[in-house]
Amino acid sequence: MKLLITGGAGFIGSHVVRRMVKAYGQYSIVNLDALTYAGNLANLADVQDEPNYRFVKGDITDKAFIRQLFLDEQFDGVIHLAAESHVDRSISGPDAFIQTNVVGTANLLNAAVESWKGNMEGKRFYHVSTDEVFGSLGETGMFSETTAYDPRSPYSASKAASDHLVRAYHHTYGLPVIISNCSNNYGSHHFPEKLIPLIINNIKNKRPLPVYGKGENIRDWLWVEDHARAIDVIFHRGCSGETYCIGGNNEWKNIDVVKLLCKLMDDKLGRSAGESEQLITYVTDRPGHDARYAIDATKLKNELGWEPTQPFETLLSQTIDWYLANETWLDQVTSGNYRNYYEQQYNR
Ligand code: NAD
Ligand code: TYD
C-alpha cells in the first residue's frame, strides 16, 4: 500500500499519520503538507525517522505539482485532510478556503482519476470532512448521513463543495471514494486558535477567556485519537461510495466547556477555586454563528464497530496535561504570526 496523507502536519492529520505509521509498518506513507501557519513538523517528531514514512512539502492548489506527484509515486490510497480549517479565518478571508478546500480537492481528484484510470481495483480516495456542512441544529435532532447539506460559513460551504465534488467523481468517473463528516475534535497538538487549546493557553497565562455571544452554542466534542481510529477503520473497512458520520455523543455548551477547563486547571496549577473563571470575558458573537452541532454515529457503530472513548472529563484532563507538559510547543506556535492574528480577531 502506497498511501498519501494530505495535511499530515496539522492537528488531526498528525494523529492520523502517527497512527498509520505505527500500525502499518509494511505501508509506504507520504505526508504531503504545505506547512501553512497550521502545519508543524514538530507534531510528528516521534515518527519522522520511521522507514515507512516520508514528508513532502507541497501545496494542493498547485495543479501541475499534484499531477506529477501522483504520476511519480503511483499511490494506492489517499487520505485527504489538508484544508483551511478555522471558521473565524474563513469569515475574515474566505479566498484561501475556496482555493485550498475546493480547488485543492479538485486537483487531488483529477490526479487520482488520471493515475488510476483503467484500474480502480483496490484503490481508495478518502475525503475527511466536517459536520459543519449540515448547517445548524435547533434544540433537538442530530446530523446523520442522510441530513441535507446547509452550510452557513465560508469554511463549511467550501467543505460542502469539496464533498460534492468527491461524490460527483465517484458517480461520474467511478472513483472509489469514501467521505466522513466528523464533529469538533480536541486533544494534543491542536493549534490554539480553536476554542479548547485557546482557552487552555489563556488560563495558563492568566489572559481573558473570550466567549462568543452568551456562550450557549453547543458542540459535540470528540477526542482526536478517536477520530484517527475512526479514519483508520473507515479507510480499511468502509464501503466505497459511502459516507460515515463520526461524533463524540458528547454535547456541551461552550460556556460549560470553558468553566470545566477553568476548574480542572485551577486544581492542576494550585490556584484557588473559581480563580480562572474570573477571566471569562463575553465578546461580540461570531457572524452567522451556528447554534448547535450533534452527530448520530449509529451507522459507524453498527457497521464497523467504532465507538468513542469516554469520559470527556478524563480525556480533557489528559489534554490539559499535554499542553502544560509541552510548553515549548505552545510557545513556538503562539509566537510570531499568531500574535497578529490574535490582535486582529480579539482586539477589534
Ligand atoms: P489544521 O488546520 O490543524 O491542519 C490543516 C493542515 O493542512 C495543516 O498542516 C496545513 O499546513 C495543511 N494545508 C493547508 N492548506 C494546504 C494546502 N493548500 N496544501 C497542502 N497542505 C495544506 O486542520 P485540522 O483541524 O487538523 O483538520 C484536518 C481536516 O479535518 C480538515 O479537512 C477539516 O476540515 C477536517 N475536520 C476538522 C475538525 C476539527 O474539529 N478540527 C472536525 C471535523 C473535520
Ligand atoms: P471553534 O473551536 O472555532 O470550532 P467551530 O467553530 O468549528 O465549531 O469554536 C468552537 C465553539 O467555540 C464555537 O461555537 C465558537 C466558540 N468560540 C468562542 O466562544 N470563543 C473563541 O475564542 C473561539 C475560538 C470559539
Side-chain angles (χ1 to χ4, degrees):
M1 164 73 72
K2 187 134 196 201
L3 175 61
L4 172 68
I5 300 179
T6 72
F11 166 47
I12 300 169
S14 63
H15 285 276
V16 173
V17 167
R18 180 176 302 101
R19 184 180 177 90
M20 294 299 194
V21 167
K22 287 188 174 171
Y24 301 100
Q26 73 281 24
Y27 287 10
S28 167
I29 297 173
V30 173
N31 169 17
L32 171 70
D33 197 296
L35 299 181
T36 69
Y37 78 92
N40 184 355
L41 285 179
N43 294 352
L44 289 165
D46 56 334
V47 293
Q48 67 186 7
D49 296 325
E50 294 298 329
N52 59 340
Y53 170 74
R54 192 154 56 88
F55 174 69
V56 173
K57 186 168 188 288
D59 193 325
I60 60 168
T61 67
D62 183 341
K63 189 180 172 78
F65 165 76
I66 293 297
R67 178 173 182 266
Q68 198 56 51
L69 184 73
F70 273 73
L71 292 176
D72 291 346
E73 301 281 350
Q74 296 292 313
F75 299 116
D76 303 298
V78 177
I79 303 180
H80 172 37
L81 297 109
E84 289 290 338
S85 67
H86 189 37
V87 174
D88 293 325
R89 288 188 194 251
S90 84
I91 294 168
S92 52
D95 290 0
F97 288 72
I98 296 159
Q99 283 307 314
T100 288
N101 300 359
V102 186
V103 177
T105 301
N107 289 340
L108 290 166
L109 289 166
N110 286 329
V113 167
E114 183 183 7
S115 125
W116 297 344
K117 198 170 41 202
N119 182 20
M120 303 272 186
E121 193 58 38
K123 305 291 193 285
R124 175 145 288 188
F125 188 108
Y126 182 164
H127 177 60
V128 175
S129 192
T130 167
D131 61 355
E132 303 193 25
V133 298
F134 301 123
S136 180
L137 289 165
E139 281 176 18
T140 57
M142 291 177 130
F143 299 134
S144 75
E145 292 78 7
T146 55
T147 305
Y149 276 41
D150 183 23
R152 294 149 42 103
S153 73
Y155 164 63
S156 55
S158 67
K159 291 296 292 188
S162 62
D163 292 13
H164 290 320
L165 282 171
V166 172
R167 285 197 187 91
Y169 275 60
H170 176 68
H171 292 291
T172 307
Y173 306 109
L175 195 69
V177 308
I178 287 206
I179 297 179
S180 60
N181 296 92
C182 186
S183 64
N184 289 63
N185 286 209
Y186 68 95
S188 70
H189 305 89
H190 202 181
F191 192 77
E193 63 184 353
K194 307 277 171 60
L195 181 71
I196 288 181
L198 185 147
I199 296 294
I200 292 172
N201 186 40
N202 285 15
I203 293 174
K204 176 172 169 278
N205 295 304
K206 297 191 175 180
R207 283 206 220 105
L209 311 180
V211 173
Y212 296 166
K214 294 181 180 156
E216 288 183 347
N217 303 64
I218 292 172
R219 298 292 183 263
D220 172 2
W221 292 99
L222 177 70
W223 188 41
V224 65
E225 294 188 34
D226 282 341
H227 190 185
R229 179 166 51 87
I231 289 172
D232 180 353
V233 166
I234 294 167
F235 179 75
H236 287 100
R237 296 200 282 115
C239 287
S240 180
E242 291 288 314
T243 293
Y244 297 87
C245 280
I246 312 171
N249 200 18
N250 180 39
E251 291 181 52
W252 284 74
K253 279 187 186 165
N254 292 337
I255 187 64
D256 294 335
V257 172
V258 172
K259 286 184 177 168
L260 177 58
L261 288 167
C262 289
K263 179 172 152 293
L264 292 169
M265 288 188 70
D266 280 345
D267 283 350
K268 290 178 192 294
L269 297 169
R271 294 181 187 167
S272 55
E275 190 178 330
S276 296
E277 274 198 27
Q278 307 287 326
L279 298 167
I280 292 175
T281 309
Y282 292 92
V283 300
T284 310
D285 208 353
R286 173 186 283 173
H289 197 170
D290 287 342
R292 176 172 163 256
Y293 303 144
I295 283 278
D296 175 357
T298 307
K299 175 176 171 179
L300 187 52
K301 182 180 173 193
N302 288 349
E303 292 188 10
L304 301 179
W306 176 93
E307 279 187 274
T309 313
Q310 306 287 6
F312 181 50
E313 287 199 30
T314 309
L315 297 167
L316 196 62
S317 172
Q318 280 176 26
T319 298
I320 295 168
D321 291 342
W322 186 86
Y323 288 93
L324 294 178
N326 287 275
E327 249 184 355
T328 315
W329 184 93
L330 204 48
D331 289 346
Q332 187 221 326
V333 300
T334 53
S335 63
N337 286 341
Y338 180 80
R339 295 205 184 127
N340 301 336
Y341 163 77
Y342 200 92
E343 190 65 28
Q344 276 171 18
Q345 177 65 21
Y346 294 98
N347 298 330
R348 282 171 293 177

